[in-house]
Amino acid sequence: MANRARTSLPRTAAAHAILLTYTVIALFPVFVIVINALKTRRAIFGHPLQLPGPETFSLVGFQTVLQQGDFPLYFWNSLVVTVVSLVFVLLFGAMAAFALSEYRFRGNTLTGLYLALGIMIPIRLGTVAILQLMVATGLVNTLFALILVYTAQGIPLAVFILAEFMKTVSDDLKNAGRIDGLSEYRIFFRLVIPLVRPAMATVAVFSMIPIWNDLWFPLILAPAESVKTVTLGAQIFLGQFVTDWNAVLASLSLAIIPVLVLYLIFSRQLIRGITSGAVK
Amino acid sequence: MAERRPVRWHIGVFLAPAVVVYTLVMILPLFATLDLSLYRAVGKTTEFVGLGNFDKLFGDPNWSGHFWNALANNFWFFIINMAVQNPIGIALAALLFSPRLRFAAAYRTAIFVPTILSFVIVGFVWKLILSPLWGIAPDLLKMVGLRHWFAPWLGDPHYALTTVALISVWQFIGIPMMLIYAALLSIPDEVIEAAEMDGITGMSQFWKIKLPLILPSIGIISILTFVGNFNAFDLVYVAQGALAGPNFSTDILGTFLYRTFFGFQLQLGDPNMGATIATVMFAIILAGVCVYLFGIQRRLRRYQF
């Protein structure tokens, strides 16, 4: 009853109007880039807000991008860095989270706090020494340097979130496994990991975005042509082709679309992850 | 315990990879950076100078002008983000939470889109839209009859910093929206029903009942904004370049650190001064986190359901 009284028509209409306006603000820039990437140079300048028509349609920008930049390589580098870092973050993070949530031992709380420090303090502040470390170990301009940094960066939040979830795994199940003679490692890999898979997916989505989008560490640790990530590659390409608007718009579209598709696939997971603390 | 328990090696095995990588790549370099700030390069070796580098950063005319400029700009960047992004984010979350609103999931998904885009895309997209050459922004203003309002905002030292800050707001508004939405979801129905019984509905329900209950989440989004802003670099670098033009008007601590430590054009890189700036950033962020943990968060934990 009370619910019905609350939803008056003008109020709902106002809510829709505001949300719709903001949705337009959020999506408009992306829309403008994508439609103009498919137009001729003349149409880009003449009528930037028109959809591409039969006369104005052109893929010349995409041709330039594919000929000039080495985007397949950059894309591959980004993929390797992101996937390998995510595997390490999830594996190491889950292992540490299991140790902290499952066993009582001296230093447990202290280790938890030590790992939690990294949630608030950004790893970038150590860049000067990280570069020296990578130079000293010969890892500069390798993808492995980036993987190490992103693994270290991702671990604190992964441990924090996964430990919370692992506390909810039933003790009876684990103890039953122990009675059946499973080792602690098997209990972790066979019983616990499958049960916290939804939480691991959430951590994966959260950790993936900053790794894929990072510009700072690729710029400093791996700027060489053969190890450029797609974010750095696009940045440099855009700088060089700044006057070739077709190419600029095409490369922006190419950079937006994969992330957008991934996001639409994973958005339910992401939103469920953020709101999971609330809807138990 | 009389009986000695066997050493539980598996605990160590489970903890080791995370602790080792985290310590070697994050914690040790962080402390090494703090340490580097106490030295300066003399030829090929280094010499201990105590707090001399800080003295130079704060007082030497070659450094202090840039430093105080970057610091002040960074505060302005934070204030804009805090004052624009978070209230709008909270308002959007409150609207999304309206009872039986249709398409709420679609709005939520769409408004979060800018947050997943890389800085490179965001910086360039807005550069193009605001460009006086291309003219989408002037055309749009013309449609609503405000053509004369247009100025090349990113190129004008008076407006550039605020414009970049607003672009950052556009990009990250999804985060406060989502976190506040989650907090609103966690308010028990009984509380809302009790409020309705007492005749508190609509706006006054938001101000009197919901807002006090979501204050802890507002605290979290504030500290996230603070840490994110004082660590920002990418957006300014992409939109305005490493020199944070025009005339350093968009220079923040992140870009200042990059130029100092890595060198740019004619300027040579200086790891020790870079480390000094990183140490100052560390101190600012640590101070912010401490204020949050000890000053704000403690007082907010009043409501338990």
Side-chain angles (χ1 to χ4, degrees):
Chain A
M1 289 300 269
N3 261 344
R4 210 154 299 153
R6 269 193 289 167
T7 45
S8 60
L9 193 62
R11 179 169 247 132
T12 315
H16 275 292
I18 297 172
L19 287 168
L20 205 60
T21 311
Y22 201 86
T23 303
V24 171
I25 296 175
L27 295 183
F28 174 75
V30 176
F31 171 76
V32 168
I33 297 303
V34 174
I35 61 165
N36 282 292
L38 299 168
K39 294 199 289 204
T40 58
R41 189 179 165 81
R42 181 192 291 267
I44 291 173
F45 279 96
H47 307 281
L49 293 177
Q50 261 172 22
L51 289 172
E55 288 134 53
T56 55
F57 181 78
S58 157
L59 290 174
V60 64
F62 290 95
Q63 285 162 1
T64 317
V65 172
L66 293 178
Q67 280 160 12
Q68 302 290 329
D70 207 349
F71 276 91
L73 174 71
Y74 303 158
F75 201 82
W76 172 250
N77 288 337
S78 278
L79 201 68
V80 170
V81 168
T82 310
V83 171
V84 179
S85 308
L86 276 184
V87 169
F88 283 155
V89 166
L90 290 177
L91 179 67
F92 297 170
M95 284 164 66
F98 183 67
L100 292 177
S101 62
E102 177 67 17
Y103 309 113
R104 299 179 66 178
F105 57 94
R106 218 185 312 152
N108 183 319
T109 319
L110 205 66
T111 316
L113 282 177
Y114 174 68
L115 288 172
L117 257 183
I119 298 177
M120 280 299 180
I121 304 296
I123 192 170
R124 273 182 194 184
L125 298 179
T127 306
V128 179
I130 290 176
L131 179 63
Q132 292 184 340
L133 175 78
M134 296 303 172
V135 171
T137 49
L139 288 174
V140 165
N141 280 328
T142 62
L143 296 179
F144 191 60
L146 294 177
I147 291 170
L148 276 177
V149 169
Y150 295 140
T151 305
Q153 167 187 290
I155 282 174
L157 195 64
V159 172
F160 186 74
I161 295 177
L162 293 176
E164 286 298 307
F165 273 86
M166 285 183 184
K167 280 179 195 152
T168 65
V169 174
S170 108
D171 282 335
D172 293 344
L173 185 71
K174 286 175 281 193
N175 289 334
R178 287 188 182 109
I179 291 167
D180 286 346
L182 293 186
S183 69
E184 294 299 321
Y185 304 107
R186 283 192 160 250
I187 288 173
F188 172 68
F189 283 108
R190 290 284 145 85
L191 295 181
V192 177
I193 289 276
L195 286 172
V196 295
R197 210 180 281 153
M200 298 199 42
T202 304
V203 173
V205 178
F206 271 124
S207 321
M208 186 179 73
I209 298 171
I211 297 177
W212 182 272
N213 286 342
D214 188 37
L215 183 61
W216 175 265
F217 283 112
L219 192 63
I220 288 167
L221 296 181
E225 184 63 23
S226 62
V227 287
K228 260 183 209 155
T229 62
V230 77
T231 310
L232 180 61
Q235 153 72 15
I236 289 169
F237 180 85
L238 291 170
Q240 285 167 350
F241 282 77
V242 76
T243 49
D244 185 345
W245 288 61
N246 289 97
V248 165
L249 292 167
S251 58
L252 285 174
S253 304
L254 284 179
I256 292 172
I257 289 160
V259 189
L260 206 58
V261 170
L262 270 182
Y263 168 64
L264 291 178
I265 295 171
F266 285 111
S267 65
R268 299 188 91 198
Q269 189 67 48
L270 183 80
I271 288 160
R272 207 182 299 146
I274 298 173
T275 53
S276 64
V279 269
K280 267 184 192 152
Chain B
M1 265 201 245
E3 187 187 354
R4 255 186 87 88
R5 281 204 289 174
V7 181
R8 293 177 293 170
W9 290 107
H10 50 267
I11 298 180
V13 173
F14 279 129
L15 278 175
V19 171
V20 168
V21 174
Y22 174 75
T23 307
L24 282 183
V25 186
M26 181 153 179
I27 299 298
L28 289 181
L30 192 60
F31 282 99
T33 302
L34 302 187
D35 184 52
L36 274 172
S37 69
L38 303 176
Y39 294 84
R40 91 186 154 136
V42 184
K44 293 231 165 191
T45 56
T46 53
E47 159 188 86
F48 183 81
V49 287
L51 297 176
N53 287 334
F54 294 92
D55 212 30
K56 197 155 109 184
L57 188 65
F58 300 148
D60 182 332
N62 284 328
W63 289 93
S64 63
H66 282 303
F67 171 72
W68 294 113
N69 172 48
L71 186 67
N73 285 345
N74 219 146
F75 266 102
W76 181 243
F77 188 75
F78 167 65
I79 289 168
I80 296 275
N81 271 280
M82 194 68 189
V84 181
Q85 170 188 298
N86 293 345
I88 295 181
I90 294 167
L92 289 173
L95 282 174
L96 278 176
F97 202 69
S98 325
R100 292 189 305 176
L101 184 83
R102 293 176 126 217
F103 313 119
Y107 289 132
R108 221 166 44 187
T109 309
I111 295 173
F112 203 72
V113 162
T115 309
I116 58 150
L117 298 179
S118 100
F119 290 99
V120 174
I121 298 171
V122 172
F124 251 87
V125 163
W126 281 102
K127 233 163 103 168
L128 295 184
I129 288 175
L130 297 176
S131 148
L133 260 180
W134 193 16
I136 285 197
D139 278 357
L140 285 177
L141 284 174
K142 204 171 174 182
M143 279 199 299
V144 287
L146 294 170
R147 177 65 181 79
H148 57 279
W149 273 22
F150 181 77
W153 287 296
L154 282 172
D156 185 322
H158 289 106
Y159 303 120
L161 180 64
T162 310
T163 311
V164 173
L166 289 174
I167 295 173
S168 164
V169 168
W170 175 81
Q171 186 179 7
F172 287 115
I173 202 127
I175 291 175
M177 180 189 76
M178 287 292 188
L179 292 176
I180 297 297
Y181 184 78
L184 287 170
L185 274 179
S186 72
I187 299 177
D189 288 340
E190 300 89 73
V191 175
I192 303 297
E193 276 161 23
E196 271 161 11
M197 293 301 223
D198 292 342
I200 305 172
T201 56
M203 283 299 260
S204 68
Q205 188 185 64
F206 177 77
W207 290 110
K208 289 184 181 152
I209 311 291
K210 290 180 181 162
L211 191 66
L213 291 175
I214 59 171
L215 275 182
S217 293
I218 295 179
I220 291 174
I221 60 176
S222 307
I223 188 65
L224 286 178
T225 312
F226 182 84
V227 174
N229 287 166
F230 276 91
N231 178 37
F233 157 79
D234 311 57
L235 186 62
V236 175
Y237 180 77
V238 170
Q240 307 292 72
L243 287 174
N247 193 20
F248 299 108
S249 61
T250 52
D251 200 17
I252 55 176
L253 292 171
T255 44
F256 183 45
L257 165 66
Y258 174 79
R259 279 200 317 275
T260 305
F261 143 61
F262 213 57
F264 192 74
Q265 291 174 353
L266 293 177
Q267 187 185 351
L268 278 178
D270 182 342
N272 294 105
M273 282 313 279
T276 309
I277 298 168
T279 305
V280 173
M281 289 163 79
F282 179 76
I284 293 174
I285 289 175
L286 200 65
V289 172
C290 286
V291 166
Y292 165 71
L293 286 181
F294 301 112
I296 300 175
Q297 197 202 27
R298 275 194 180 179
R299 268 170 232 183
L300 287 175
R301 289 214 168 158
R302 271 179 296 182
Y303 307 100
Q304 296 280 335
F305 304 116

